[in-house]
Amino acid sequence: MRTFIFLLSLVSLLNFSCDSTPPDSIANYLSDSPNITGKSNYLNSPYVTAGNRVYMVGHQNGGFPDLGWHIKGEMGGIWNHPIKLMDGFDVSINMANRNISLDKANRFVNYPMANMHSYDLDEFGLQIERWQFVPDDVQGLMIQFVIRNNNEESKILDFEFNGHSDLRPTWLGERTDMVDSEDNATYNADEDAWQIKDQNNPWSVMFGSDMKSVSQSPKRNEQTGVGASGAISYSLEIAPQKSKLLNVFIAGSYISQDDMKSTFDSLKSNWTTLIKDKKERYAQLAKQSKLTIPDSSMQQAFEWLKYNCDWLIREVPEVGTGITAGIPDYPWWFGVDSEYALKGYMAIGQERAVYETIKLLDSVSAAVNGNGRIIHEMSSNGAVFNEGNINETPQFASLIWEIFKWNGDKSFLVKYYPTIKSGLQWLMETNDDNQNLFPDGFGMMEIHGLDSEMIDVASYTQRAFDDAAKMALILGETSDAKKFNALALELKNKINSEFWSEDFNSYADFIGTDEQTLHLIDDAIVRADTLNKPWAIEELNQTRQTIQNNPSDKPRPFVLHHNWVVNTPLEMQIADQEKAIRALNTAEKFVNPFGVFVTGIDRDESAGSDDGSFQGSKVFSYTGAVMTLPTGVQVVAENNYGRPDKALNYLERMTRTFNYALPGSIYEVSPDYGMMCQAWNIYSYAVPIVQQFFGINPMTSEKQVTIRPRMPEKWDHGSLENVKIGDNMISVFYKKEDGKRSFRIEQKMDDWTIQFDLPGTEYDILQGAAVKKSSGNSFMCEGSGKILEFREK
């Protein structure tokens, strides 16, 4: 059936292209670009046309329904943060006194840097494609309509573009005195375009074409809010079996109308250069950390995640630049989302986004908190909503260490070490009332009342001290290094002894008092009963009875929700091998075909099987969800303890959600709920693939790379090319034939030391005169080797 649908789409595309596509069509510029056709049953779901200044969100069928919950119904449309420009637009064609609305596309095709909606209007002898792209660094976008006459006689038609402004502030706009007022629309004859301005603010938007219009008329705006609408029409005559183009340009500004007009004129004049430049930049993104493996779906997902990463970069010059959490409801900046994601960004070579995001988080955190505490969430106008959950401060420390390993830049450590040191001091002095080294407060699980001593906070704190000790040594802060190292060791021992539950073969969700836990049990039973989880209710009642029969006046560990964070000691390699294997086996009970449940007591009948789905609620909620971050943490954890085949199984589950709803993307909540594009997905793929399966672990300050590949059995070949490490570029090639493995390593520079730790028994050195065997299957190459090759005996 899928093959049949694909062939129909291909025939339709070939029919459309049977005459030469107009030379200035976006289709021509992107003819050799990767693309993925969406599913017909998801045409009523969102897509994004992304850019670092402006982006557009609508439905794959070409419409612009109300979307989102952060600003209810307003997260779709066209945004130029910190303002929204438009709710969207309508298009209609009048031909021989018949009006045709382009409101139901038959097909949606996604490209890394553009999208296309296709309308099959066979009744009228027409086929229309709507293309759109957003150039880099431009406060505007281009929409192109390709209109084909499939009949044997000429057609004359009027084409009407009706744009709907909604010049309004971003979320938390009121905190920076951004007050929405009515939009006023006027036709600008000089530009032959509609010009709309908020009457009390400099916010403005303009739309028009490079074709001369034949009529212009104001329209009643029926959207929510105080926007304005304007229609502009164009007359087209199309010869038989020929196509014509109509370009529409949209430009906006939150600064001035002159700024808006400058963008509009530049877009009209330079769009062909802009599209070629962006296409070339995206081709370079694809070449970095280029993956080739037997699993074509996973390989494609990895490639498109690089594009997704770029979609999420948001630049507001007056505030800063950084990766945002997700589209459409989280198009601004977060602490913890970045702390996971940027590790993946670095592994795929997208360095600029890493440095800009860290700079933004550090500077704003310093301005708002001033004590090393890292913020949680900031809107695009610079207003901070949450000054920081407890886990975000230690995770920032580990992020800085991880990035330093890749860039080797000591000045980078010098810049951020004061924030790390202050933050760890704030963490322990302000949030550890009983001074047991476990800070109190919310971590990743934002469940009401779950703010005591959390396992994820403890795990990330332990890793933070371990990483801070290494940074201190490099910077010559020996007393700090000694203190931090001692705290890391003590915390590791305490986590393994005080958070471990023998009864559950798992680390506890939290350490808390009996009173607090009984309240949480009551709430959890209501949740489990609502979701019809009798097994969870039974287990929670047993836990309550145990507490009542064996009361304690001191805090103690509890396994209550089976939240995914119980696996963070495995992600951070804190657990000893024996506990880790038991905990990993326990975690397998709380998965479905797409990954790991956020909260284990929400698991359904599909747990552990290969069939299932997630039905999101009408009111946005993560209850019952399976998410990519918990699944990615489990992939990392399995690899940490030598189980690459188990790790691959989790990656395969996640990959089932690639293209599930939005072609070319993986949803935040698996398979098709929440954000259609999510930053931390790259953590879940890049860290295990680059650093664990291919085993690339740099220490750039020493011009040294350790390569310790541990491939899944399913992969009989694979390569990872052009991994950027400092001024070097590493490629690893793997092949397994007749049960024997071979590895080939190529590097750009020949003055780096490469340490190899290869799996299996004995290896022959096929290439690399400078390679020396150090022990077992460990080899060392100290310079003088750009190509190194090994084969298992």
Side-chain angles (χ1 to χ4, degrees), residues 444-457:
M444 288 299 295
M445 298 305 304
E446 295 175 338
I447 293 176
H448 179 70
L450 202 57
D451 58 351
S452 57
E453 294 172 351
M454 306 302 302
I455 183 59
D456 56 322
V457 173

Side-chain angles (χ1 to χ4, degrees), residues 46-49 54-59 63-88 166 168-173 223-224 312 314 324-334 377-381 620 674-676:
Y47 74 92
V48 60
T49 313
V54 162
Y55 65 91
M56 178 167 72
V57 170
H59 267 192
F64 292 93
D66 289 347
L67 286 174
W69 61 269
H70 233 126
I71 307 173
K72 188 176 180 181
E74 297 286 359
M75 301 309 294
I78 302 171
W79 281 85
N80 177 25
H81 282 279
I83 66 166
K84 187 175 185 178
L85 299 179
M86 300 177 71
D87 281 327
D166 188 7
R168 58 148 300 137
T170 186
W171 182 56
L172 306 183
Q223 311 293 314
T224 303
L312 291 165
R314 180 72 42 242
T324 56
I327 298 171
D329 273 293
Y330 302 121
W332 37 75
W333 304 293
F334 286 75
E377 182 176 10
M378 174 177 65
S379 188
S380 55
N381 61 340
F620 188 85
M675 303 307 102
M676 62 175 143

Side-chain angles (χ1 to χ4, degrees), residues 254-306:
Y254 50 85
I255 301 297
S256 70
Q257 293 184 80
D258 287 342
D259 184 39
M260 171 199 67
K261 291 175 186 176
S262 175
T263 299
F264 186 78
D265 292 340
S266 177
L267 257 177
K268 284 202 298 183
S269 302
N270 302 316
W271 74 267
T272 57
T273 300
L274 293 168
I275 197 170
K276 286 187 284 188
D277 289 347
K278 189 163 186 176
K279 179 186 174 184
E280 174 57 30
R281 189 174 67 80
Y282 266 58
Q284 291 303 313
L285 293 181
K287 290 177 183 177
Q288 295 169 182
S289 299
K290 181 184 176 184
L291 178 68
T292 304
I293 52 175
D295 186 336
S296 59
S297 294
M298 190 177 296
Q299 178 179 311
Q300 187 183 46
F302 189 75
E303 177 185 343
W304 278 77
L305 280 169
K306 300 175 195 177

Side-chain angles (χ1 to χ4, degrees), residues 487-506:
L487 285 168
L489 289 172
E490 187 175 358
L491 265 169
K492 184 175 183 178
N493 291 330
K494 285 174 67 68
I495 289 169
N496 278 306
S497 61
E498 297 180 33
F499 266 100
W500 179 254
S501 170
E502 282 289 325
D503 292 339
F504 286 93
N505 285 316
S506 169

Side-chain angles (χ1 to χ4, degrees), residues 644-710:
D645 294 327
K646 296 277 191 180
L648 181 64
N649 179 268
Y650 283 109
L651 266 179
E652 289 171 337
R653 290 173 188 269
M654 258 194 304
T655 304
R656 288 175 184 152
T657 73
F658 176 64
N659 295 330
Y660 199 97
L662 175 62
S665 190
I666 295 174
Y667 265 65
E668 169 199 22
V669 179
S670 305
D672 58 358
Y673 191 69
M675 303 307 102
M676 62 175 143
C677 181
Q678 183 76 15
W680 58 37
N681 291 348
I682 194 61
Y683 171 81
S684 299
Y685 277 78
V687 170
I689 288 174
V690 176
Q691 297 186 256
Q692 295 181 315
F693 291 155
F694 283 87
I696 299 174
N697 286 285
M699 184 47 69
T700 304
S701 59
E702 306 297 323
K703 288 195 171 185
Q704 182 173 320
V705 183
T706 298
I707 299 178
R708 186 180 183 272
R710 294 297 183 267

Side-chain angles (χ1 to χ4, degrees), residues 135-296:
D136 289 335
D137 307 318
V138 172
Q139 296 178 84
L141 71 152
M142 176 189 176
I143 303 158
Q144 183 179 81
F145 297 90
V146 186
I147 307 158
R148 175 174 170 79
N149 176 7
N150 285 330
N151 283 359
E152 297 302 326
E153 65 272 353
S154 295
K155 291 185 181 293
I156 298 175
L157 53 88
D158 288 327
F159 186 102
E160 182 181 88
F161 184 93
N162 186 10
H164 312 296
S165 78
D166 188 7
L167 294 160
R168 58 148 300 137
T170 186
W171 182 56
L172 306 183
E174 70 281 357
R175 295 194 184 181
T176 54
D177 300 320
M178 298 176 74
V179 180
D180 192 16
S181 61
E182 189 174 346
D183 294 353
N184 294 326
T186 57
Y187 170 68
N188 184 322
D190 292 337
E191 296 284 359
D192 192 13
W194 278 102
Q195 181 172 322
I196 306 178
K197 181 184 176 297
D198 182 287
Q199 65 180 7
N200 292 335
N201 295 285
W203 314 332
S204 56
V205 65
M206 174 175 279
F207 54 87
S209 178
D210 50 8
M211 178 184 293
K212 184 174 177 56
S213 69
V214 295
S215 67
Q216 314 83 29
S217 58
K219 296 286 185 178
R220 180 182 176 186
N221 185 287
E222 297 181 351
Q223 311 293 314
T224 303
V226 288
S229 296
I232 189 163
S233 297
Y234 306 90
S235 181
L236 300 171
E237 182 173 358
I238 310 175
Q241 301 296 326
K242 296 295 182 182
S243 301
K244 276 203 171 178
L245 302 181
L246 176 68
N247 299 326
V248 176
F249 303 92
I250 299 175
S253 175
Y254 50 85
I255 301 297
S256 70
Q257 293 184 80
D258 287 342
D259 184 39
M260 171 199 67
K261 291 175 186 176
S262 175
T263 299
F264 186 78
D265 292 340
S266 177
L267 257 177
K268 284 202 298 183
S269 302
N270 302 316
W271 74 267
T272 57
T273 300
L274 293 168
I275 197 170
K276 286 187 284 188
D277 289 347
K278 189 163 186 176
K279 179 186 174 184
E280 174 57 30
R281 189 174 67 80
Y282 266 58
Q284 291 303 313
L285 293 181
K287 290 177 183 177
Q288 295 169 182
S289 299
K290 181 184 176 184
L291 178 68
T292 304
I293 52 175
D295 186 336
S296 59

